[in-house]
Amino acid sequence: MAQRVESKMKLRASGILVLFSVFLLTGCGDDQAVDSSVPVEAEMAQPSTDETSTAAMIEKARALYEEAELKEHAWLVTSRSIDAATQALADNDDEAARVAAKLAIFTAQASLQQAETEAMSWKSRVPK
Amino acid sequence: MRLIVLAVIVALCPSAFADPEGDRLAFQKFYESRFPQIEVSDHKDGAYALDPAKREQWQEMEEFPPYEIAVDEGQALFEQPFSNGKQYADCFDNQGVGIKQNFPFFDIAKGQVVTLEVALNNCREVNGETPLPYDGEEISYLASYMAFTSRDNKFEIQVPEEGLAAYEAGKQFFYERRGQLNFSCASCHLQSAGNMLRAEILSASIGHATHWPTYRFKWEQVGGLHKRFIECNQQVGAVGLSQQGETYRNLEYFLTYMNNGMELNGPASRK
């Protein structure tokens, strides 16, 4: 009985090893768009609190954009939204500035998620 | 245990298992299957290889090629001596004539990919001249002339062991989705090659490196491959990278290797 359990465990462990190796060799094989189940959307779904100043939101967007730029995955829409938010804030249009800053944060987070996903999934597209 | 070790090695050092020639053959086979009626070598004409009507219009335009001035200007610049009396020809094999098929190459001493444009600027710097801006006309003219003298030669790009990481980086960039539209180079020019994008046909990547610099009617001037990379990236909503930066040089290296064996036909004209 104990031997059977042991051999079952060995078999399971080998299976896991093979799966793990295949994953590393081929990537996750996910050729889909950016995974929408990521925490990015959950975070974005929360309305920013009134205490968060518009300037701080723009600053956050800028920091995320720079991170995406470093990973060579920055999006044009983020850059344009940051510019729009900055301009609106300078024009004392706080509401418009916050809308643009939110969009900038959202798209910057999505671009970072894309960079993370693509670091592996590109492999599945190489002709064999 | 062996599997774990193998998996860790692959994960940490993908270039250790890189196989450029295997990649190229699979790449070529993909287009042979996708376009069985078209010879792989015909893809050097880009989208014009895929549509007879557009090809006819393009051939008519080629009777008065818009890049002709660039070739003439390039030759004049190429032959103009530097202030120390030397010329561009002194920096290149065969005096710089008919050599574009060997570019880009991996410079083992410098540990980086050298494109023709970078080699031209290296030549200037060695001879005490200031480098030319990569988005300027002069460097495109010089490259146009050198491409013209290399017409009909076939790409012979080498990937030494030291260049495998650069090759793999270029390959990764080619297949990685980016931008708000979440497209990779391969999304358009491999998976969707031959399909229509609005009024245009998406060309095959297998001929993408053969015809640069190119006079694009949209640009109203001759420009290099990296200028087109920027445009492609922007078209999918991504921020373009700098011309002749490491990333685009690696991408050019990979893409040109995929074009090995194909004839050069630059400079060319495109819509």
Side-chain angles (χ1 to χ4, degrees):
Chain A
M1 181 68 179
Q3 269 182 339
R4 273 178 62 190
V5 170
E6 197 184 330
S7 80
K8 238 183 189 177
M9 292 290 283
K10 272 186 183 170
L11 196 68
R12 199 172 288 172
S14 321
I16 290 169
L17 273 180
V18 169
L19 279 175
F20 177 66
S21 309
V22 168
F23 172 77
L24 283 178
L25 282 165
T26 64
C28 59
D30 178 15
D31 200 7
Q32 300 300 310
V34 174
D35 185 357
S36 58
S37 65
V38 294
V40 172
E41 284 194 10
E43 196 179 316
M44 284 310 299
Q46 295 169 358
S48 51
T49 57
D50 288 342
E51 296 84 49
T52 312
S53 77
T54 309
M57 287 170 70
I58 295 172
E59 216 36 62
K60 182 181 177 185
R62 197 165 278 135
L64 290 167
Y65 174 76
E66 282 167 10
E67 199 182 331
E69 227 180 3
L70 276 177
K71 295 182 177 180
E72 298 177 335
H73 269 273
W75 293 2
L76 289 172
V77 64
T78 311
S79 158
R80 288 173 189 150
S81 300
I82 291 170
D83 290 347
T86 309
Q87 186 58 53
L89 190 65
D91 295 342
N92 292 320
D93 187 348
D94 194 61
E95 199 182 332
R98 290 179 81 84
V99 168
K102 268 186 193 177
L103 180 63
I105 292 169
F106 176 76
T107 56
Q109 286 171 327
S111 66
L112 285 168
Q113 181 60 46
Q114 181 187 55
E116 197 182 319
T117 311
E118 288 300 304
M120 283 302 279
S121 56
W122 68 270
K123 292 177 186 175
S124 65
R125 303 179 195 119
V126 180
K128 305 274 190 304
Chain B
M1 191 61 191
R2 271 185 221 153
L3 276 175
I4 293 179
V5 172
L6 179 68
V8 169
I9 291 171
V10 172
L12 295 178
C13 186
S15 62
F17 291 85
D19 175 18
E21 195 51 17
D23 288 346
R24 192 186 69 79
L25 292 173
F27 198 77
Q28 185 173 320
K29 199 175 136 200
F30 175 88
Y31 290 106
E32 281 169 349
S33 311
R34 187 166 180 89
F35 304 107
Q37 74 284 14
I38 297 170
E39 289 289 324
V40 166
S41 58
D42 290 344
H43 286 292
K44 68 182 179 186
D45 293 332
Y48 305 125
L50 308 176
D51 184 307
K54 285 182 193 292
R55 183 179 182 81
E56 202 178 320
Q57 288 172 19
W58 170 67
Q59 280 171 332
E60 277 173 21
M61 285 190 297
E62 285 282 302
E63 284 177 25
F64 299 97
Y67 49 77
E68 213 167 28
I69 295 165
V71 174
D72 292 343
E73 292 279 346
Q75 184 172 7
L77 287 166
F78 192 83
E79 290 168 357
Q80 193 179 309
F82 298 130
S83 46
N84 65 1
K86 292 198 171 180
Q87 290 182 314
Y88 286 108
D90 299 320
C91 297
F92 295 96
D93 290 341
N94 199 34
Q95 298 287 294
V97 175
I99 57 161
K100 193 175 186 285
Q101 66 278 7
N102 301 318
F103 286 88
F105 67 91
F106 189 82
D107 185 327
I108 295 172
K110 289 182 180 166
Q112 59 174 275
V113 172
V114 176
T115 61
L116 183 62
E117 287 81 356
V118 166
L120 282 163
N121 264 346
N122 286 347
C123 179
R124 290 181 64 84
E125 288 187 283
V126 163
N127 287 292
E129 303 287 328
T130 51
L132 297 169
Y134 289 119
D135 57 355
E137 282 185 331
E138 265 189 56
I139 202 135
S140 293
Y141 289 165
L142 284 161
S144 296
Y145 167 67
M146 292 180 82
F148 188 74
T149 66
S150 309
R151 275 188 171 184
D152 301 331
N153 293 349
K154 291 181 177 175
F155 274 122
E156 291 175 32
I157 306 303
Q158 309 290 326
V159 181
E161 206 180 319
E162 296 86 343
L164 282 174
Y167 166 87
E168 280 293 306
K171 178 176 155 186
Q172 179 170 348
F173 191 95
F174 183 82
Y175 291 105
E176 255 185 3
R177 289 172 183 264
R178 58 192 70 242
Q180 195 180 6
L181 299 188
N182 203 34
F183 275 29
S184 66
C185 306
S187 305
C188 286
H189 299 290
L190 192 121
Q191 290 151 356
S192 306
N195 292 350
M196 298 295 289
L197 194 67
R198 295 187 180 162
E200 302 301 331
I201 295 177
L202 289 164
S203 57
S205 273
I206 191 106
H208 272 177
T210 61
H211 53 273
W212 296 92
T214 288
Y215 183 98
R216 277 176 67 83
F217 289 90
K218 190 176 174 182
W219 297 342
E220 296 182 338
Q221 61 176 326
V222 166
L225 180 57
H226 292 206
K227 185 174 178 176
R228 186 70 183 103
F229 286 160
I230 292 174
E231 194 178 50
C232 272
N233 281 165
Q234 288 174 342
Q235 281 170 328
V236 300
V239 174
L241 308 176
S242 52
Q243 292 197 46
Q244 302 302 330
E246 188 182 10
T247 304
Y248 279 166
R249 277 184 286 118
N250 291 343
L251 176 60
E252 182 179 341
Y253 191 40
F254 164 75
L255 201 55
T256 314
Y257 187 87
M258 291 297 105
N259 287 201
N260 256 2
M262 295 187 78
E263 279 179 7
L264 281 81
N265 58 344
S269 64
R270 293 287 186 271
K271 272 210 287 185

